[in-house]
Amino acid sequence: MVKPSVLVTRRWPAAVEARLAENYNTVLNRGDKPMSPAQIRDALRSYDAVLPTVTDTLNSEALDVPAAKTRILANYGVGYSHICESAARSLGMTVTNTPDVLSECTADLAMTLLLMVARRAGEGERELRAGGWTGWRPTHLIGTKVSGKTLGIVGFGRIGQEMARRAHHGFGMKIIVQNRSRVAHEVLARCNATQVDSIEELLPQCDFVSLHCPGGAANRHLINARRLDLMKPDAFLINTARGEVIDEFALTQALMFDIIGGAALDVFDGEPRISQTLMQCDNLVMLPHLGSATREAREAMGFRVLENLDDFFDGKPPRDKVI
Ligand code: DGY
């Protein structure tokens, strides 16, 4: 039997690439350069499966391929707001993602960011490396205590729940949740969390707010100037979800004019480009989209894509079918 042809759009962990090559006619992106919309369109005409990531734009323009050969977009990553849902549907393509296997590592990174911004770790490291540290003193880089504070979580899916678990059981934080659907009582009870009906209700109560909702058009600029104004003036905003969820211009203003205490971002609107004004905010910690970047998570994500592909080409519904 002829093996299905598969294009992998970026470099993946070696163990997963090797397994893919055993099971499929696999073409790897050895140069690891992001693909242009034109290259994506060519791929959709040529391969049975395309395995994209967050760095591939699969918008309606890229998916405007009437004679597409590709029947499945098996995404490497849990978020898939870079894939235009309606265009994929109209081409009859199946889309899968990789939930669960990165939840703990992404929550670990969200907690890292929360601690870094509260304890001014980024500022401290920058000062030390620049040779500016003059020694211990009682007033040096005074941060904010984390233990026992209130954490608001926007989006209480798997990653949001892992974040709540760390914050509540590790740091004794009080957890308030906003989620588009009602969260089961037993899920909230695991962290003694309270669910509120709106972001407006959540923001004024929190010392920290961590975003774990999906990206895409529906949540674009969910956190805007009006909502930043609702946060406490010394509260911190953490984003490991998607860059577009925050209006970055409004955030820059809020950081520069002390509307909030600080922010910590792992994701950016239009990444990897970062606005120069964000760069100038000292009360901001920034990481280059490292949420799931552990060996364990990245391998597990790859093997989860393989499982989805195997199911699909065996004629079974893939376990992570989202479209
Ligand atoms: C995810 O899985 O959504 C990560 O952010 C990488 O896309």
Side-chain angles (χ1 to χ4, degrees), residues 54 76-79 102 242 289 292 301:
V54 64
Y76 180 94
V78 66
L102 46 63
R242 281 291 180 260
H289 203 149
S292 62
M301 289 160 72

Side-chain angles (χ1 to χ4, degrees), residues 254-313:
L255 292 171
M256 285 183 163
F257 296 105
D258 297 327
I259 306 291
I260 64 171
L265 309 176
D266 186 45
V267 285
F268 302 85
D269 204 7
E271 63 186 50
R273 272 179 292 106
I274 311 283
S275 93
Q276 279 311 309
T277 42
L278 270 187
M279 291 277 197
Q280 282 155 24
C281 297
D282 253 347
N283 48 352
L284 172 65
V285 174
M286 294 188 281
L287 293 179
H289 203 149
L290 296 179
S292 62
T294 63
R295 183 173 42 76
E296 292 86 347
R298 291 283 163 88
E299 285 190 357
M301 289 160 72
F303 287 120
R304 191 79 174 232
V305 173
L306 256 166
E307 251 184 79
N308 287 319
L309 274 186
D310 291 349
D311 281 347
F312 181 81
F313 288 110

Side-chain angles (χ1 to χ4, degrees), residues 31-171:
D32 203 19
K33 290 260 165 44
M35 294 175 67
S36 67
Q39 288 172 314
I40 300 263
R41 273 197 301 275
D42 278 348
L44 297 172
R45 285 186 202 101
S46 316
Y47 297 92
D48 296 309
V50 172
L51 280 39
T53 72
V54 64
T55 59
D56 299 304
T57 307
L58 288 147
N59 56 16
S60 51
E61 185 201 342
L63 287 174
D64 185 14
V65 182
K69 178 173 182 190
T70 299
R71 291 157 52 215
I72 176 167
L73 299 172
N75 188 57
Y76 180 94
V78 66
Y80 55 94
S81 59
H82 51 287
I83 301 176
C84 174
E85 207 167 320
S86 55
R89 273 187 209 288
S90 66
L91 289 173
M93 279 178 193
T94 293
V95 178
T96 57
N97 69 347
T98 60
D100 307 318
V101 289
L102 46 63
S103 304
E104 291 179 302
C105 290
T106 306
D108 289 348
L109 194 93
M111 202 66 218
T112 305
L113 284 173
L114 186 155
L115 291 166
M116 282 181 79
V117 70
R119 300 303 304 274
R120 304 179 66 179
E123 285 174 79
E125 216 221 14
R126 288 197 291 277
E127 178 185 278
L128 185 146
R129 283 182 186 271
W133 185 34
T134 55
W136 191 91
R137 58 192 187 278
T139 55
H140 183 216
L141 283 178
I142 299 304
T144 300
K145 183 174 176 181
V146 169
S147 298
K149 295 286 176 66
T150 299
L151 170 65
I153 298 189
V154 176
F156 209 53
R158 286 163 274 228
I159 301 173
Q161 289 173 34
E162 286 295 339
M163 178 66 172
R165 191 156 72 86
R166 281 152 181 72
H168 181 70
H169 295 289
F171 294 86

